[in-house]
């Protein structure tokens, strides 16, 4: 089940909210959330719930074991076991086919390629679990003694499938003691609607154009220079609204239930360099690698550049079992290394307009690498964005498509700016300004909710991009 | 002075007063904030609750006339289907597919998408969804190598097979026992005629709304994508039907072209695949199946209203010409269109399925069309059965149009696609027809009540029995598969193999 579907919004969510509201004690509320989260996860593929529960049980004991172990050696051993299990689960369910295919290709072997259906959200919830057991080992959090509370952390449906990667320390306290205030409810509902609108009104409509350009059945091959750039720029906008829309909905729903998740996006296209981009894009993943992978020393040494390489290799691999994701991660790693060597001071001396052009070019071309899993298409993409493109510079097609979708594209570009923060600043000027902004915001939310719901009637291919991660 | 000095508040008092004022302002701000939160929650929860109630208690449609298909059905729960994941998947499909007022919302979505930008130049609107145009594979037989269509088998009056005649013979004697020789074959090679357009079409007129071209006179033309592999699949499926039905049952294929084949302006020529080419490709695979060449017939009548302008279906007049061609091929009597044989009924102001799909363009509102249908005047009875073949009622073949919603007037033909229909006529020629169709074929039976003594109309999408079995049980002598090229090369034809037995 996905958030941007009528069945979720108008059947699952109302039932969950009503039941949650009717049950008074917090333990009961938690039980309601666990039941609905398991139903949510089991939707469409009930068997996968067993693997989720198995992970919860094993990691519950790993956490307890680390807490109870008398020696550091034993703690390390238990942690190592937990990490092997968790990374092994991702390896089996997400990468086994890819690994075998590559082994066969390299060594000429003929091992049967396993066809294991990827479990939705496995990369997200496994990383959450890893953060929990590592934090237990580092003593940052107390191992959770109550299994049901740990299960709630792992399976909480707002963040189960596509993040943000919520750390145990972020919500540990709120699992045992929380209250949804009027402010939480109001902000949570608003965030939910804004996220839905980002996904349905912007991302889904943008993707329709992407499907007519670089994503068409005939591929990127026949596209002109302008057509290829047009398609990939729209894809860059699409992927932002798709993923940040999901994160908004997750954060909003979390807040409705009294949880305060960390932000996952901070207007990434406002960045002036690649380091800043990654501080604004998928923040929970970047901070996960920064906190849990960077500090690891290899062979007794810590090398900054090796760690950077590893982080970006893992970032690429995390996004999918295909070589283009590996290249995508290393591509960013190379630019971050370049910027690290150059130093912040020197970068800041470069005119801001050039820094913006540089960063947007790298990001947009990067999403080209991300988009094309087929290397032949990827090669054609690189050819087509340059003067080597044999199809000419432009055609009427791009112009027609741009005209026909002009308002959508302008709206999408405007929405990459921090509009809500802007209105918040206006509202701080006076009480009347606050009232005007708030009432207008409520009216806009109502309209966005109605429009999004109507558009969902025709939503046939609207799964979130990060759904299978 | 001294009094004034006495009244002047001390610094302490002023501070206290300021403090009280600050608290008052803060309390006021808090109260206001609280009210604004309450307003926000009430409005959003109100909208959510309203839509939830609407989705829960609103009447869910069962068919989509716009998309020409049955909507998903609510699945029955079983633990087995749940654990396989089928129940939840099917239930989600049902819930999303059968939204109350679906057609209205679909039309609003088309409008929304048509207004996401500005129109380019003279009105080309590319809002996605253009059909993919395939190149014709080389594996189809040329007209010189393909097998000639079989002769039409004409049973004698008692119902047993009496004789056979050329599929293009001109005999009109329904009870003939003579065997006509094949004097001329039914030509499926219409190359020479595929581009004839004896009417004025502005080569640069019209605008493009997604996959629909809207002409200046308000005529909407859904672009055709087609699929050659789909066409081959359809042809091979009909061959299998012919084999299953046996030599004594005539099997015909009426893949009827749509308006896009005849009215598409030059400038959009590369947007649509050739329907003629796909029909020809389909015909090249037939073995024992007799193709009905509606394309050539329509070419002679393009100046008449043979297609609805605002609907994806043909008009009753178009269906009449196709039925006439079919009757000629099947060598049965045919009632010409005149006041004696038919009662003509017309209503003004029709806006059909393409009105909403093309974003409700003003040009259509300004040029609403006349919906005309014909009620046959000979004697016949019409029995309606469920798709599972349970008798429902005996009623009129053509409904009272005034009881129907304006956008639903095409359903005047046998209630649309809701039943399996059995028509028993006063024509006694030993010929019993089964029409296997989707909605395109709904308009045909009205013109065949004087040509066959019994007609069964089976919807290939929803029928729950076996078509061959029903044909054998009812002593069917002729089976006509009737649909447009999109259906024949697309999803609708996919239902056919599963409905054979």
């Amino acid at each position: 089940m996905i958030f941007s579907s009528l069945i979720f919004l108008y059947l699952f969510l109302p039932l969950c909210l009503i039941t949650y509201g009717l049950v008074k004690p917090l333990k009961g509320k938690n039980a309601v959330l666990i039941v609905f989260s398991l139903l949510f996860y089991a939707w469409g593929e009930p068997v996968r719930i067993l693997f989720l529960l198995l992970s919860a049980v094993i990691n519950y004991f790993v956490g307890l074991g680390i807490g109870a172990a008398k020696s550091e050696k034993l703690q390390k051993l238990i942690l190592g076991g937990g990490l092997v299990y968790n990374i092994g689960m991702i390896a089996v369910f997400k990468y086994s086919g890819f690994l075998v295919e590559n082994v066969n290709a390299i060594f000429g072997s003929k091992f049967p390629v396993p066809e294991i259906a990827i479990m939705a959200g496995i990369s997200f919830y496994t990383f959450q679990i890893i953060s929990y057991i590592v934090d237990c080992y580092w003593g940052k959090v107390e191992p959770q003694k109550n299994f049901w509370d740990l299960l709630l952390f792992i399976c909480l449906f707002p963040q189960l499938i596509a993040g943000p990667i919520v750390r145990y320390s972020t919500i540990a306290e709120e699992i045992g003691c929380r209250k949804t205030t009027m402010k939480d409810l109001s902000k949570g509902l608003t965030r939910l609607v804004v996220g839905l609108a980002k996904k349905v009104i912007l991302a889904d409509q943008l993707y329709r154009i992407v499907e007519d350009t670089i994503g068409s059945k005939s591929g990127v091959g026949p596209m002109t220079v302008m057509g290829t750039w047009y398609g990939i720029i729209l894809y860059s906008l699409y992927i932002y609204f798709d993923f940040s829309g999901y994160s908004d909905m997750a954060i909003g729903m979390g807040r409705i239930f009294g949880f305060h998740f960390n932000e996952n996006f901070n207007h990434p296209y406002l960045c002036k360099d690649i380091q800043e981009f990654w501080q604004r894009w998928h923040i929970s993943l970047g901070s996960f690698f920064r906190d849990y992978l960077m500090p690891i020393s290899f062979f007794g040494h810590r090398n900054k550049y090796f760690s950077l390489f590893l982080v970006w290799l893992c970032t690429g691999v995390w996004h999918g079992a295909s070589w283009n994701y590996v290249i995508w991660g290393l591509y960013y790693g190379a630019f971050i290394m370049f910027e690290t060597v150059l130093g912040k001071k020197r970068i800041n001396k470069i005119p801001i307009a050039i820094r913006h052009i540089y960063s947007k070019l790298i990001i947009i071309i990067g999403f080209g690498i991300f988009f094309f899993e087929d290397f032949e298409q990827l090669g054609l993409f690189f050819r087509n964005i340059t003067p080597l493109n044999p199809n000419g510079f432009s055609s009427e097609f791009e112009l027609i498509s741009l005209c026909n979708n002009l308002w959508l594209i302008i709206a999408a570009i405007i929405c990459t700016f921090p509009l809500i923060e802007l209105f918040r600043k206006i509202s701080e000027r006076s009480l009347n300004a606050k009232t005007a902004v708030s009432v207008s915001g409520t009216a806009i939310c109502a309209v966005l909710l109605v429009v999004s719901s109507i558009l969902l009637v025709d939503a046939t291919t609207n799964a979130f991009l990060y759904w299978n991660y | 002075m001294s009094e004034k000095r006495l009244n002047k508040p001390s610094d302490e008092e002023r501070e206290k007063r300021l403090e009280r004022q600050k608290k008052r302002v803060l309390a006021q701000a808090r109260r206001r904030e609280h009210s604004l939160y309450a307003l926000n929650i009430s409005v959003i929860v109100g909208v959510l609750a309203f839509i939830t109630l609407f989705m829960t208690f609103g009447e869910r449609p069962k068919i989509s006339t716009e998309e020409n298909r049955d909507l998903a059905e609510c699945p029955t729960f079983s633990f087995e289907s749940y654990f396989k994941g089928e129940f939840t998947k099917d239930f989600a499909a049902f819930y999303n597919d059968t939204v109350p007022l679906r057609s209205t919302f679909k039309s609003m979505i088309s409008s929304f998408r048509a207004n996401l930008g500005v129109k380019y130049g003279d009105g080309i609107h590319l809002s996605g969804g253009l059909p993919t145009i395939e190149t014709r594979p080389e594996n189809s037989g040329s007209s010189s190598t393909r097998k000639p269509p079989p002769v039409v088998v004409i049973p004698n009056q008692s119902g047993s097979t009496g004789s056979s005649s050329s599929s293009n013979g001109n005999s009109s004697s329904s009870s003939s026992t003579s065997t006509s020789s094949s004097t001329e074959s039914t030509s499926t090679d219409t190359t020479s005629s595929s581009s004839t357009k004896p009417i004025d079409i502005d080569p640069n007129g019209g605008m493009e709304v997604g996959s629909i071209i809207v002409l200046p006179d308000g005529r909407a033309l859904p672009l055709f994508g087609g699929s050659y592999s789909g066409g081959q699949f359809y042809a091979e499926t009909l061959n299998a039907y012919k084999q299953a039905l046996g030599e004594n049952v005539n099997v015909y294929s009426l893949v009827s072209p749509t308006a896009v084949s005849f009215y598409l302006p030059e400038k959009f020529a590369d947007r649509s695949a050739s329907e003629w080419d796909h029909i020809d490709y389909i015909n090249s695979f037939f073995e024992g199946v007799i193709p009905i060449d509606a394309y050539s017939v329509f070419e002679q009548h393009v100046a008449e209203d043979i297609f609805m302008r605002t609907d994806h279906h043909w008009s009753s007049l178009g269906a009449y010409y196709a039925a006439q061609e079919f009757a000629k091929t099947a060598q049965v009597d045919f009632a010409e269109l005149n006041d004696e044989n038919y009662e003509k009924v017309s209503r003004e102001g029709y806006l059909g399925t393409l009105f909403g799909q093309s974003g409700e363009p003003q040009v259509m509102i300004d040029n609403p069309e006349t919906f005309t249908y014909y009620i046959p005047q000979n004697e016949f009875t019409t029995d309606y059965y469920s798709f599972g073949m349970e008798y429902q009622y005996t009623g009129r073949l053509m409904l009272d149009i005034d009881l129907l919603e304006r956008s639903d007037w095409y359903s005047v033909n046998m209630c649309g696609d809701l039943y399996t229909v059995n028509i028993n006529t006063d024509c006694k020629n030993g010929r019993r027809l089964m029409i296997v169709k989707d909605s395109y074929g709904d308009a045909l039976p009205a013109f065949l009540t004087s040509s066959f003594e019994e007609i069964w109309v089976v919807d290939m999408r929803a029928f729950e029995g076996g078509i061959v079995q029903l044909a054998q049980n009812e002593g069917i002598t002729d089976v006509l598969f009737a649909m447009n090229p999109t259906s024949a090369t697309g999803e609708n034809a996919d239902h056919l193999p599963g409905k054979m037995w």
Side-chain angles (χ1 to χ4, degrees), chain A residues 187-314:
Chain A
K187 299 269 180 196
L189 285 166
T190 304
R191 198 71 187 270
L192 174 69
V193 174
V194 168
L196 179 70
K198 270 183 172 178
K199 164 67 182 157
V200 181
I201 301 178
L202 294 176
D204 285 354
Q205 309 312 318
L206 286 167
Y207 196 69
R208 290 170 67 86
I209 317 173
V210 173
E211 278 183 322
D212 283 343
T213 54
I214 55 170
S216 71
K217 277 185 186 169
S218 48
V220 71
M223 302 292 300
T224 61
V225 176
M226 287 297 285
T228 312
W229 278 104
Y230 174 67
I232 201 64
I233 289 170
L234 294 185
Y235 180 71
S236 305
L237 286 169
Y238 151 75
I239 198 169
Y240 167 62
F241 289 114
D242 186 88
F243 193 16
S244 73
Y246 187 94
S247 290
D248 285 338
M249 292 180 84
I251 291 167
M253 276 186 282
R255 200 146 178 196
I256 290 169
F257 295 116
F259 293 101
H260 295 78
F261 303 154
N262 289 336
E263 290 298 329
N264 209 22
F265 287 87
N266 180 23
H267 310 288
Y269 293 140
L270 297 188
C271 70
K272 295 176 286 298
D273 53 59
I274 300 306
Q275 292 188 58
E276 190 187 351
F277 173 70
W278 278 99
Q279 285 156 10
R280 291 168 173 268
W281 177 279
H282 203 172
I283 299 166
S284 61
L285 181 71
S287 62
F288 178 91
F289 283 130
R290 183 195 65 211
D291 296 344
Y292 296 99
L293 200 57
M294 285 286 272
I296 298 175
S297 52
F298 292 87
F299 309 110
H301 296 286
R302 274 191 60 205
N303 181 298
K304 185 175 161 185
Y305 295 105
F306 181 73
S307 294
L308 269 178
F309 167 79
L310 196 66
V311 163
W312 291 101
L313 178 71
C314 290

Side-chain angles (χ1 to χ4, degrees), chain A residues 123 162 207 330 351 368:
Chain A
S123 301
Y207 196 69
L330 295 176

Side-chain angles (χ1 to χ4, degrees), chain B residues 156-230:
Chain B
N156 61 27
Q157 280 282 31
S158 62
S160 62
T161 307
S163 61
S164 59
S165 176
S166 147
S167 60
N168 205 31
N170 289 323
S171 166
S172 62
S173 168
S174 58
S175 57
S176 166
T177 52
S178 66
T179 307
S180 324
S181 61
S182 179
T183 50
E184 52 180 314
S185 68
T186 305
S187 171
T188 54
D189 188 349
T190 49
T191 319
S192 59
S193 55
S194 62
S195 62
T196 317
K197 284 183 182 153
I199 51 164
D200 284 336
I201 298 164
D202 178 359
N204 295 308
M207 63 173 182
E208 194 164 353
V209 185
S211 58
I212 297 171
I213 306 294
V214 181
L215 302 187
D217 65 349
R219 181 189 291 282
L221 307 170
L223 295 171
F224 173 65
S227 157
Y228 287 103
S229 55

Side-chain angles (χ1 to χ4, degrees), chain B residues 15-41:
Chain B
E15 250 176 49
K16 273 185 182 169
R17 201 180 296 165
L18 269 174
E19 193 62 33
R20 276 201 299 275
Q21 209 173 342
K22 216 168 155 185
K23 273 185 183 168
R24 252 202 321 274
V25 170
L26 274 175
Q28 193 190 353
R30 261 200 304 273
R31 274 200 303 276
R32 180 77 66 90
E33 198 173 55
H34 205 263
S35 319
L36 291 172
Y37 287 145
L39 176 73
N40 194 46
I41 293 165

